[in-house]
Amino acid sequence: MHPASPPPDRSGLDALLRNRPFLALWTGQLLAQVADKIFYVLLIILVKTGGYTPGQNPDNSMLSAVMIAYTVPAIVFGSAAGIVVDRFSKKQMLIACNVIRALLIVALPFLPKAFVVLLAITFLVSTVTQFFAPAEAAAIPLAVGREGLMSANALFASSTMGGIIVGMTIGEPLFSWVKHSFGADSQEFLLGGLYLISAGLIYAMRIKENHAGSSGKNVHPWQDLKEGLRYLKHNHLVSNAMVQLTILYSVFAALQVLAIALSGKIGLKETQFGFLLAAAGIGMVFGAAFLGHSGHRMHHKPLPLIGFLMMGFVLAMFAFTRQLWVGFGLSALFGFGASLINGPMQALIQEKTPESMRGKVFGLENNAINIALSLPLALTGPLTDAVSKAVGSDDLGLRIVLLSLGFLVSVMGMAAWKHTRKVLQDAL
């Protein structure tokens, strides 16, 4: 994927798993990812049974208010977080984010049981999380060499999916067990402990930062934001890679919604849609292994285009799938295709962006992806309901939406590659 093929013995997954700084960063962020999703589950539990709302059955508006407090910081502070990250040590930023989140969550049992308090803690925890994401992305090139970027990013992407699935799956049973065994407030202490363990793992990471610990004096946020936007405007290689990543995450968001109805069609309960997403995560792991082992020999191939076409094909085939094993196989193929986009594009952004600009660039990327995630999550469900109502059949409505989305993803992938291949093909 790079102009000069890197040595195989330094680019594969085996080399990454022998890289102690990378292992510390990877395991630390994986635990933080799981904690993030468990926190999401804890919020639902606290709203319903934690005594923060009047009555036993809080209305949907209260649940929506908590979800808004959880998601708004991702859109509002994503870019600003990247500016701050460039001013300080990435390692120190990652540790500080985990410690602050732990303290905020552990403080909950000692604060008044008021709904506004829960909203405030939710907002603050989510805001701190926005600083973790760009610092993590900017730290990856410091922990691995240039030749290991594709493998590292593919592994991070697959483990992120795994963290989401694990966190959502074990959250409720884990909290029920802890609450029954150690008391009501033990839930918050357990979650705070996960963040502290993540901080300890990242503390063990030994990396060299050229601008580590740079002073936060003379900070001009607006000028820094404009500097980041100017960089993307003039560096078409980085901006075009970011566009393809934004499309990728939009498609993933749509699949998260459609997977609920699709699970019921292939023999699962709709509440078991996480298994279908887990298969996609497994596919991403295989994609990471493929890129780690053979990616350096595929630098002349349009891997992102192949990935988009693969994802479009899978979505179209989902429309006709009614067998469980076929559904799992297609979902794994979907994840494999996604890794062909995410690994190369993220590696390109990290490699071609100077260390002093990485925080700004990854902050803007995080902001764009969060906005891209929000639109499909908000529109896919109502669109599917509207189509189903128009054709008079839920099954036919889902089939039409899947076929249309598959076609749209393929077209967007071809259009994005056609528009960017002159810029990207020499760098891939």
Side-chain angles (χ1 to χ4, degrees), residues 406-423:
F407 175 76
L408 182 62
V409 169
S410 299
V411 170
M412 287 193 302
M414 289 187 289
W417 180 254
K418 181 179 179 181
H419 179 69
T420 62
R421 63 191 173 100
K422 291 182 179 180
V423 179

Side-chain angles (χ1 to χ4, degrees), residues 142-372:
L142 302 176
V144 303
R146 171 183 179 271
E147 57 278 349
L149 282 176
M150 266 205 303
S151 301
N153 281 289
L155 191 58
F156 263 73
S158 57
S159 61
T160 296
M161 176 65 71
I164 293 172
I165 295 165
V166 170
M168 291 294 192
T169 303
I170 70 171
E172 193 278 331
L174 182 61
F175 284 135
S176 296
W177 174 77
V178 169
K179 184 177 181 180
H180 176 74
S181 302
F182 303 101
D185 295 338
S186 58
Q187 302 173 118
E188 289 85 348
F189 287 99
L190 169 67
L191 185 54
L194 291 178
Y195 281 118
L196 290 178
I197 294 172
S198 174
L201 290 168
I202 294 173
Y203 179 78
M205 177 178 64
R206 299 291 182 260
I207 56 174
K208 181 180 180 181
E209 300 187 57
N210 293 332
H211 301 282
S214 60
S215 173
K217 297 180 180 179
N218 301 319
V219 177
H220 304 288
W222 181 242
Q223 284 77 5
D224 285 351
L225 178 60
K226 290 195 294 184
E227 183 182 358
L229 291 171
R230 278 196 303 269
Y231 179 80
L232 291 178
K233 180 180 179 181
H234 295 295
N235 192 319
H236 298 292
L237 179 65
V238 173
S239 59
N240 289 333
M242 194 178 295
V243 167
Q244 299 204 32
L245 285 173
T246 303
I247 296 173
L248 168 64
Y249 281 95
S250 297
V251 178
F252 248 117
L255 179 64
Q256 288 181 44
V257 178
L258 294 172
I260 298 174
L262 186 59
S263 297
K265 306 297 182 183
I266 63 174
L268 295 171
K269 297 178 182 179
E270 290 193 350
T271 55
Q272 295 176 318
F273 70 94
F275 291 109
L276 201 59
L277 296 178
I282 293 172
M284 294 184 75
V285 172
F286 279 104
F290 168 76
L291 290 174
H293 184 264
S294 304
H296 61 281
R297 296 196 294 267
M298 302 286 289
H299 64 278
H300 60 290
K301 301 293 184 182
L303 294 185
L305 174 61
I306 296 171
F308 277 119
L309 293 177
M310 194 177 292
M311 292 168 68
F313 169 78
V314 168
L315 288 168
M317 290 300 98
F318 269 143
F320 306 101
T321 300
R322 293 297 178 266
Q323 292 179 299
L324 184 60
W325 67 272
V326 176
F328 282 153
L330 286 172
S331 188
L333 186 61
F334 183 94
F336 189 93
S339 69
L340 299 184
I341 304 166
N342 185 83
M345 294 298 97
Q346 194 73 6
L348 268 177
I349 295 173
Q350 290 169 341
E351 180 184 335
K352 301 300 181 181
T353 302
E355 184 178 339
S356 60
M357 291 292 297
R358 283 177 185 155
K360 303 180 188 68
V361 169
F362 289 122
L364 289 167
E365 178 190 330
N366 193 40
N367 213 15
I369 287 174
N370 281 313
I371 294 172

Side-chain angles (χ1 to χ4, degrees), residues 74-98:
I75 298 174
V76 176
F77 298 112
S79 300
I83 294 171
V84 176
V85 165
D86 274 337
R87 299 280 177 172
F88 299 96
S89 160
K90 311 300 182 293
K91 177 180 174 178
Q92 292 174 6
M93 181 69 68
L94 291 170
I95 294 172
C97 287
N98 279 330

